[in-house]
Amino acid sequence: MAFSITRLRKGLGKARRGFWGRIRRAALASGLDAESREALEEILIEADVGVAATQRILDRLEKADAVGEDAIHNALRDSLLEVLGRAREEPEIPGGRPRVILLVGVNGVGKTTTLAKLAARYKAEGMRVMMAAADTFRAAAAEQLEVWAERVGVDLVRQRSGADPAAVAYDALESARARGVDVLLVDTAGRLHTKHNLMEELKKIRRVLDKCEPGTPDEVLLILDATTGQNALSQARLFKEAVEPTGLVIAKLDGTAKAGIVLAIREELGLDVRFVGLGEGVGDLERFAPEAFVDALLS
Amino acid sequence: MFEDLGEKLNRSFKGLLGRGKLSEKNIESGLREIRRSLLEADVHYKVAKDFIQVVKERSVGQEVLGNLRPGQQVVRIVHEELVRLMGSAFTDISRSRSAPTVILLVGLQGSGKTTFAAKLARRFQKSGQQPLLVAGDTARPAAVEQLKILGSEIDVRVFEKGSGADPVEVAAEGVREARRLNFPVVIVDSRGRLHVDGELMEELRKTRDAIAPQETLLVVDGMSGQDAARVARSFADDLGIDGVVLTKLDGDARGGAALSVRAVSGKPIKFVSVGEKVDQLEPFHPDRMASRILGMGDVLTLAEKAQEVFDRKQTEKMERKIREASFTLEDFRDQLRQVKKLGSLDDLAQMIPGMGRVKGLEAEEGRLTAIEAMINSMTPEERRIPRIIDGSRRKRISRGSGTQVKDVNRLLKEFEQVQKLMKTMRKRGPFRMPMSLG
């Protein structure tokens, strides 16, 4: 499944029009003056980039000393790309065992939907996929996953509601090994990052997986809601402390929200975006490509 | 931990202390700090801009009061203006003269509509009005199932026609059912979309026309960023809303979206939904929200919670016991249990200014549990007269409570000190217990 820039552009359509239209007005041929700096600042703030990251980006832009629309465009593009870093490859998995991916995040960000989309994606690549319903807390979470498992056509391991999530993960990994599964996707209950006990529970899931199969989970993906504001930074910080996510997924990016907070998270915590969710369909998940992302934002 | 806005302002107003007036010039850097603070709380930048203008107009020309530091003075103005903007007092749900009162819940995907539906149902139920819930979100997999489970937890009937049913029909039939069975209140859940689009609005308008709700409430994620303003405007303009509910405010989000949503929709915020338990719903208090947006903590909510939990008679009894120095380990345990009812120490810390990110509370929490276990392992006599607890009793207590003898020693030693303290306080005459807020 190739990255489709047209689709991403379509998703970001509304964002793009507002963005560059205003930069044009703001960045006059003479270069970056106080007024155009303020206009740029408002654009970045409105995209949820946050005050501190916006200041840093604009400071760098000022140093670039660009004059004229094209030069400013390129300088800003470079500056944003520099923050985002290069796209990362998926880690290699030693053969003979399932790749284990753990999905974490706060409530309502779209974890379960993202999991279904990842399942569809790996299945389309010809892999044998299994889901584990380790969200044993939210009412009907396992049922929701069951609907998706049927729709996508993959196996699901679940237990009764209220069961120990770490035990579900353990069982799922054992059964994934026994059945020769290539990718095991583990759903977890949404939790606010400030709830210490729930974060401990996540750590336990991580520990138990590692015990069952050293080296797993291979990936821990933190799902962020594209409409979340500055709090996403705090979420990323605390999830990082607890379970060391290997990457981010921005869900719901096809709204009007621009998820600029990702820039601040990349800058402060070094976490890369791995995927972006662009729609409600099961095929609407793209591998994150920083250049396409920035170009779609600035074109 | 972010610095308190008041402190920042005090610094930027340094040198202004005790002399002169606030002028456009000397207030400028202070206003920048306020703006920054609002933006960091996710207030929409245009709303923040307008707001700063208002604060500026009110501040310029004011005398710097002698007993108030200028930073505090401006913070007070900011706080007052925030409260004014968000509406001055709690607005309850308006009721229909003829039953049932129909409430329609709308909002984006993942904003917390379904959970809020159950919480609102619980609130009506507690006030003696048994509501009917209508499972109108027929699109999200298992949303109907989720509402059914929540409904059965709180013993509220859920009207549903399964997943995939036509949402407009479900809503209409649900309200008819409520009327037929004389339910005083009916709460209709609806489908959320990823973002506002024509299709969703059309469906919601049809639903609205079919059921004629007294209240259409927009449910907004309290962690929302700048886009919250646009979402609120779309719902207010295209559908018409009567009020707003903010969810997920039990995290550390400062909830600036509240200000944006209020400013662009002009509609009052009615409830604040915290946590996943069905009882966790609070009426919206603009003054508390203002403190939160400014990063000043939420001491009032804490006080209110404490009042709910600590029953007055018991508090008076405790006070008397302490006065008479007849406070036993049993009483101590009762106190511990009441403190626990307030919620986890982490939750409480969130409400206290400057304590938001204090670590190590969970260790304290574990110790409280251990103390309770130790007291539980004592005989009633031991609880009344702790000095009879000798070495072998200590061993028995530690075994019974899964602790170590040194933990028991520590508890007894601390309790002895508390008792001594109480005796000295007794000599100083009447006092109020720190826990008593009545």
Side-chain angles (χ1 to χ4, degrees), chain A residues 115-190:
Chain A
L115 185 131
K117 288 177 176 181
L118 278 171
R121 186 189 173 87
Y122 286 117
K123 193 176 179 238
E125 285 174 13
M127 295 192 200
R128 183 147 186 203
V129 182
M130 181 186 272
M131 297 175 173
D135 179 356
T136 56
F137 179 74
R138 181 167 65 92
E143 282 80 359
Q144 186 179 350
L145 208 55
E146 199 152 36
V147 173
W148 281 118
E150 256 170 53
R151 251 186 236 178
V152 180
V154 301
D155 291 338
L156 170 75
V157 173
R158 59 172 288 193
Q159 290 183 11
R160 69 189 155 70
S161 160
D164 177 8
V168 177
Y170 189 94
D171 278 2
L173 182 49
E174 288 216 308
S175 116
R177 271 196 306 216
R179 288 192 236 174
V181 162
D182 300 308
V183 181
L184 173 66
L185 297 162
V186 184
D187 192 20
T188 62

Side-chain angles (χ1 to χ4, degrees), chain B residues 203-234:
Chain B
E203 182 183 302
L204 290 176
R205 274 197 296 267
K206 277 188 194 155
T207 306
R208 177 199 64 194
D209 295 345
I211 64 174
Q214 265 71 53
E215 288 258 354
T216 302
L217 296 177
L218 173 64
V219 182
V220 176
D221 186 331
M223 300 184 292
S224 302
Q226 298 280 315
D227 206 41
R230 195 197 314 251
V231 170
R233 172 162 293 152
S234 307

Side-chain angles (χ1 to χ4, degrees), chain A residues 228-297:
Chain A
T228 301
Q230 300 311 298
N231 192 246
L233 187 56
S234 170
Q235 290 172 23
R237 208 180 278 135
L238 294 186
F239 272 102
K240 185 170 180 187
E241 271 173 29
V243 285
E244 283 287 328
T246 55
L248 306 173
V249 178
I250 316 170
K252 312 184 194 174
L253 191 61
D254 61 340
T256 45
K258 299 162 194 175
I261 191 64
V262 166
L263 291 161
I265 293 175
R266 180 65 177 73
E267 247 192 348
E268 188 184 319
L269 302 167
L271 284 171
D272 296 321
V273 183
R274 304 292 303 283
F275 297 99
V276 291
L278 292 167
E280 290 172 41
V282 83
D284 297 327
L285 184 79
E286 303 281 358
R287 195 177 290 282
F288 180 72
E291 288 180 354
F293 180 82
V294 171
D295 282 343
L297 209 75

Side-chain angles (χ1 to χ4, degrees), chain B residues 227-254:
Chain B
D227 206 41
R230 195 197 314 251
V231 170
R233 172 162 293 152
S234 307
F235 274 98
D237 290 356
D238 297 350
L239 182 69
I241 56 171
D242 303 293
V244 177
V245 179
L246 276 182
T247 60
K248 302 183 207 168
L249 276 180
D250 44 341
D252 54 0
R254 280 162 64 194

Side-chain angles (χ1 to χ4, degrees), chain B residues 176-193:
Chain B
R176 271 201 298 277
E177 179 85 348
R179 193 163 289 131
R180 192 172 68 80
L181 297 170
N182 285 323
F183 277 96
V185 178
V186 53
I187 301 164
V188 182
D189 192 12
S190 74
R191 186 157 79 105
R193 289 297 296 267

